[in-house]
mmCIF file of all heavy atoms in Angstrom:
data_model
loop_
_atom_site.group_PDB
_atom_site.id
_atom_site.type_symbol
_atom_site.label_atom_id
_atom_site.label_comp_id
_atom_site.label_asym_id
_atom_site.label_seq_id
_atom_site.Cartn_x
_atom_site.Cartn_y
_atom_site.Cartn_z
ATOM 1 N N ASP C 7 -78.560 -69.717 256.044
ATOM 2 C CA ASP C 7 -77.282 -70.219 255.522
ATOM 3 C C ASP C 7 -77.390 -71.628 254.947
ATOM 4 O O ASP C 7 -76.443 -72.108 254.326
ATOM 5 C CB ASP C 7 -76.222 -70.250 256.641
ATOM 6 C CG ASP C 7 -75.897 -68.862 257.155
ATOM 7 O OD1 ASP C 7 -76.199 -67.890 256.445
ATOM 8 O OD2 ASP C 7 -75.350 -68.752 258.274
ATOM 9 N N ILE C 11 -82.487 -76.726 253.916
ATOM 10 C CA ILE C 11 -83.669 -76.695 254.787
ATOM 11 C C ILE C 11 -84.690 -75.664 254.319
ATOM 12 O O ILE C 11 -85.812 -75.639 254.797
ATOM 13 C CB ILE C 11 -83.315 -76.470 256.280
ATOM 14 C CG1 ILE C 11 -82.679 -75.101 256.513
ATOM 15 C CG2 ILE C 11 -82.407 -77.581 256.799
ATOM 16 C CD1 ILE C 11 -82.594 -74.729 257.993
ATOM 17 N N ASN C 12 -84.287 -74.836 253.363
ATOM 18 C CA ASN C 12 -85.227 -73.840 252.851
ATOM 19 C C ASN C 12 -85.888 -74.322 251.571
ATOM 20 O O ASN C 12 -85.802 -73.691 250.536
ATOM 21 C CB ASN C 12 -84.493 -72.517 252.637
ATOM 22 C CG ASN C 12 -84.071 -71.909 253.964
ATOM 23 O OD1 ASN C 12 -84.912 -71.638 254.818
ATOM 24 N ND2 ASN C 12 -82.768 -71.747 254.158
ATOM 25 N N LYS C 19 -93.429 -76.946 253.744
ATOM 26 C CA LYS C 19 -92.087 -76.499 254.089
ATOM 27 C C LYS C 19 -91.357 -77.674 254.730
ATOM 28 O O LYS C 19 -91.912 -78.389 255.566
ATOM 29 C CB LYS C 19 -92.262 -75.354 255.091
ATOM 30 C CG LYS C 19 -91.046 -74.720 255.644
ATOM 31 C CD LYS C 19 -91.531 -73.524 256.487
ATOM 32 C CE LYS C 19 -90.795 -73.398 257.838
ATOM 33 N NZ LYS C 19 -90.598 -74.565 258.653
ATOM 34 N N SER C 34 -71.442 -71.679 253.027
ATOM 35 C CA SER C 34 -69.991 -71.478 253.052
ATOM 36 C C SER C 34 -69.237 -72.782 252.806
ATOM 37 O O SER C 34 -68.165 -72.779 252.211
ATOM 38 C CB SER C 34 -69.553 -70.854 254.383
ATOM 39 O OG SER C 34 -69.874 -71.698 255.462
ATOM 40 N N ILE C 54 -44.936 -80.350 242.957
ATOM 41 C CA ILE C 54 -44.320 -79.084 243.298
ATOM 42 C C ILE C 54 -44.916 -77.949 242.488
ATOM 43 O O ILE C 54 -44.500 -76.818 242.606
ATOM 44 C CB ILE C 54 -42.789 -79.128 243.100
ATOM 45 C CG1 ILE C 54 -42.461 -79.483 241.672
ATOM 46 C CG2 ILE C 54 -42.136 -80.081 244.058
ATOM 47 C CD1 ILE C 54 -41.007 -79.283 241.366
ATOM 48 N N SER C 73 -57.216 -79.700 264.649
ATOM 49 C CA SER C 73 -56.352 -79.823 265.812
ATOM 50 C C SER C 73 -56.710 -78.752 266.841
ATOM 51 O O SER C 73 -56.864 -79.034 268.032
ATOM 52 C CB SER C 73 -54.898 -79.707 265.350
ATOM 53 O OG SER C 73 -54.022 -79.719 266.431
ATOM 54 N N GLU C 118 -74.114 -98.815 272.106
ATOM 55 C CA GLU C 118 -73.324 -98.376 270.952
ATOM 56 C C GLU C 118 -74.033 -98.515 269.598
ATOM 57 O O GLU C 118 -74.915 -99.329 269.406
ATOM 58 C CB GLU C 118 -72.003 -99.150 270.915
ATOM 59 C CG GLU C 118 -71.161 -99.038 272.179
ATOM 60 C CD GLU C 118 -70.940 -97.594 272.607
ATOM 61 O OE1 GLU C 118 -70.724 -96.752 271.736
ATOM 62 O OE2 GLU C 118 -71.022 -97.316 273.826
ATOM 63 N N ILE C 142 -76.721 -101.061 280.425
ATOM 64 C CA ILE C 142 -77.387 -99.760 280.519
ATOM 65 C C ILE C 142 -78.619 -99.888 281.411
ATOM 66 O O ILE C 142 -79.072 -100.998 281.687
ATOM 67 C CB ILE C 142 -77.802 -99.217 279.126
ATOM 68 C CG1 ILE C 142 -78.629 -100.256 278.335
ATOM 69 C CG2 ILE C 142 -76.574 -98.829 278.323
ATOM 70 C CD1 ILE C 142 -79.125 -99.729 276.986
ATOM 71 N N PRO C 192 -56.421 -97.891 277.718
ATOM 72 C CA PRO C 192 -56.782 -96.724 276.912
ATOM 73 C C PRO C 192 -58.261 -96.743 276.491
ATOM 74 O O PRO C 192 -58.890 -97.804 276.485
ATOM 75 C CB PRO C 192 -55.886 -96.848 275.680
ATOM 76 C CG PRO C 192 -55.586 -98.300 275.570
ATOM 77 C CD PRO C 192 -55.630 -98.874 276.955
ATOM 78 N N VAL C 193 -58.773 -95.567 276.160
ATOM 79 C CA VAL C 193 -60.196 -95.425 275.835
ATOM 80 C C VAL C 193 -60.370 -94.733 274.493
ATOM 81 O O VAL C 193 -59.763 -93.689 274.233
ATOM 82 C CB VAL C 193 -60.929 -94.613 276.928
ATOM 83 C CG1 VAL C 193 -62.406 -94.453 276.591
ATOM 84 C CG2 VAL C 193 -60.761 -95.278 278.289
ATOM 85 N N HIS C 224 -71.944 -80.740 259.578
ATOM 86 C CA HIS C 224 -72.202 -79.768 258.516
ATOM 87 C C HIS C 224 -71.110 -79.728 257.452
ATOM 88 O O HIS C 224 -70.994 -78.763 256.710
ATOM 89 C CB HIS C 224 -72.460 -78.371 259.104
ATOM 90 C CG HIS C 224 -73.429 -78.398 260.243
ATOM 91 N ND1 HIS C 224 -74.750 -78.699 260.058
ATOM 92 C CD2 HIS C 224 -73.265 -78.222 261.581
ATOM 93 C CE1 HIS C 224 -75.373 -78.691 261.248
ATOM 94 N NE2 HIS C 224 -74.487 -78.415 262.184
ATOM 95 N N GLU C 236 -50.283 -89.038 270.230
ATOM 96 C CA GLU C 236 -49.167 -89.251 269.322
ATOM 97 C C GLU C 236 -48.364 -90.513 269.650
ATOM 98 O O GLU C 236 -47.993 -91.274 268.748
ATOM 99 C CB GLU C 236 -48.245 -88.020 269.332
ATOM 100 C CG GLU C 236 -47.260 -88.013 268.169
ATOM 101 C CD GLU C 236 -46.589 -86.643 267.990
ATOM 102 O OE1 GLU C 236 -46.841 -85.726 268.809
ATOM 103 O OE2 GLU C 236 -45.817 -86.505 267.027
ATOM 104 N N GLY C 283 -62.976 -78.082 256.569
ATOM 105 C CA GLY C 283 -62.337 -76.884 257.129
ATOM 106 C C GLY C 283 -63.321 -75.733 257.228
ATOM 107 O O GLY C 283 -63.390 -75.028 258.240
ATOM 108 N N LEU C 304 -84.103 -76.212 273.029
ATOM 109 C CA LEU C 304 -84.980 -76.793 272.031
ATOM 110 C C LEU C 304 -85.331 -78.236 272.391
ATOM 111 O O LEU C 304 -86.476 -78.665 272.218
ATOM 112 C CB LEU C 304 -84.242 -76.760 270.684
ATOM 113 C CG LEU C 304 -85.065 -76.489 269.451
ATOM 114 C CD1 LEU C 304 -85.913 -75.254 269.607
ATOM 115 C CD2 LEU C 304 -84.110 -76.332 268.262
ATOM 116 N N MET C 308 -88.929 -79.763 272.983
ATOM 117 C CA MET C 308 -89.404 -80.897 272.192
ATOM 118 C C MET C 308 -89.900 -82.014 273.097
ATOM 119 O O MET C 308 -91.006 -82.531 272.916
ATOM 120 C CB MET C 308 -88.288 -81.408 271.267
ATOM 121 C CG MET C 308 -88.698 -82.606 270.434
ATOM 122 S SD MET C 308 -87.676 -82.827 268.949
ATOM 123 C CE MET C 308 -86.191 -83.513 269.645
ATOM 124 N N ILE C 318 -98.020 -91.590 273.117
ATOM 125 C CA ILE C 318 -96.563 -91.504 272.917
ATOM 126 C C ILE C 318 -95.803 -92.097 274.091
ATOM 127 O O ILE C 318 -96.283 -92.083 275.230
ATOM 128 C CB ILE C 318 -96.116 -90.039 272.664
ATOM 129 C CG1 ILE C 318 -94.792 -90.018 271.877
ATOM 130 C CG2 ILE C 318 -95.971 -89.298 273.985
ATOM 131 C CD1 ILE C 318 -94.475 -88.692 271.256
ATOM 132 N N HIS C 339 -96.361 -98.535 264.054
ATOM 133 C CA HIS C 339 -94.963 -98.837 263.741
ATOM 134 C C HIS C 339 -94.244 -97.553 263.334
ATOM 135 O O HIS C 339 -94.832 -96.677 262.695
ATOM 136 C CB HIS C 339 -94.936 -99.855 262.588
ATOM 137 C CG HIS C 339 -93.579 -100.422 262.306
ATOM 138 N ND1 HIS C 339 -92.635 -99.754 261.584
ATOM 139 C CD2 HIS C 339 -93.019 -101.611 262.644
ATOM 140 C CE1 HIS C 339 -91.543 -100.509 261.483
ATOM 141 N NE2 HIS C 339 -91.756 -101.646 262.123
ATOM 142 N N GLN C 350 -96.052 -84.661 255.321
ATOM 143 C CA GLN C 350 -96.301 -83.304 255.810
ATOM 144 C C GLN C 350 -95.015 -82.486 255.808
ATOM 145 O O GLN C 350 -94.970 -81.406 256.383
ATOM 146 C CB GLN C 350 -96.891 -83.388 257.218
ATOM 147 C CG GLN C 350 -98.208 -84.146 257.226
ATOM 148 C CD GLN C 350 -98.648 -84.470 258.628
ATOM 149 O OE1 GLN C 350 -99.152 -83.597 259.332
ATOM 150 N NE2 GLN C 350 -98.441 -85.704 259.046
ATOM 151 N N THR C 356 -86.573 -93.302 261.387
ATOM 152 C CA THR C 356 -87.341 -94.346 262.050
ATOM 153 C C THR C 356 -86.592 -95.655 261.915
ATOM 154 O O THR C 356 -85.825 -95.845 260.986
ATOM 155 C CB THR C 356 -88.718 -94.507 261.380
ATOM 156 O OG1 THR C 356 -88.511 -94.861 260.013
ATOM 157 C CG2 THR C 356 -89.516 -93.224 261.460
ATOM 158 N N GLY C 369 -87.010 -103.828 274.160
ATOM 159 C CA GLY C 369 -88.028 -104.744 273.675
ATOM 160 C C GLY C 369 -88.852 -104.202 272.522
ATOM 161 O O GLY C 369 -90.044 -104.488 272.385
ATOM 162 N N ARG C 375 -87.283 -91.085 265.683
ATOM 163 C CA ARG C 375 -86.279 -90.247 266.344
ATOM 164 C C ARG C 375 -86.240 -88.881 265.678
ATOM 165 O O ARG C 375 -86.024 -88.778 264.474
ATOM 166 C CB ARG C 375 -84.906 -90.894 266.256
ATOM 167 C CG ARG C 375 -83.797 -90.067 266.894
ATOM 168 C CD ARG C 375 -82.418 -90.612 266.547
ATOM 169 N NE ARG C 375 -82.059 -90.339 265.157
ATOM 170 C CZ ARG C 375 -80.940 -90.751 264.570
ATOM 171 N NH1 ARG C 375 -80.068 -91.475 265.239
ATOM 172 N NH2 ARG C 375 -80.690 -90.453 263.310
ATOM 173 N N ASN C 382 -82.417 -75.719 263.747
ATOM 174 C CA ASN C 382 -83.805 -76.006 264.096
ATOM 175 C C ASN C 382 -84.360 -74.943 265.042
ATOM 176 O O ASN C 382 -83.613 -74.272 265.747
ATOM 177 C CB ASN C 382 -83.922 -77.393 264.734
ATOM 178 C CG ASN C 382 -83.689 -78.494 263.721
ATOM 179 O OD1 ASN C 382 -82.736 -79.258 263.839
ATOM 180 N ND2 ASN C 382 -84.533 -78.572 262.716
ATOM 181 N N CYS C 389 -94.390 -78.269 264.191
ATOM 182 C CA CYS C 389 -94.771 -79.030 263.000
ATOM 183 C C CYS C 389 -94.714 -80.524 263.281
ATOM 184 O O CYS C 389 -95.582 -81.284 262.842
ATOM 185 C CB CYS C 389 -93.837 -78.723 261.829
ATOM 186 S SG CYS C 389 -94.061 -77.089 261.147
#
Side-chain angles (χ1 to χ4, degrees):
Chain C
D7 296 341
I11 64 168
N12 292 301
K19 179 174 137 314
S34 61
I54 58 169
S73 176
E118 304 309 320
I142 53 177
V193 180
H224 313 292
E236 194 166 4
L304 216 52
M308 179 158 76
I318 205 164
H339 189 280
Q350 299 169 77
T356 60
R375 179 191 73 183
N382 290 116
C389 289

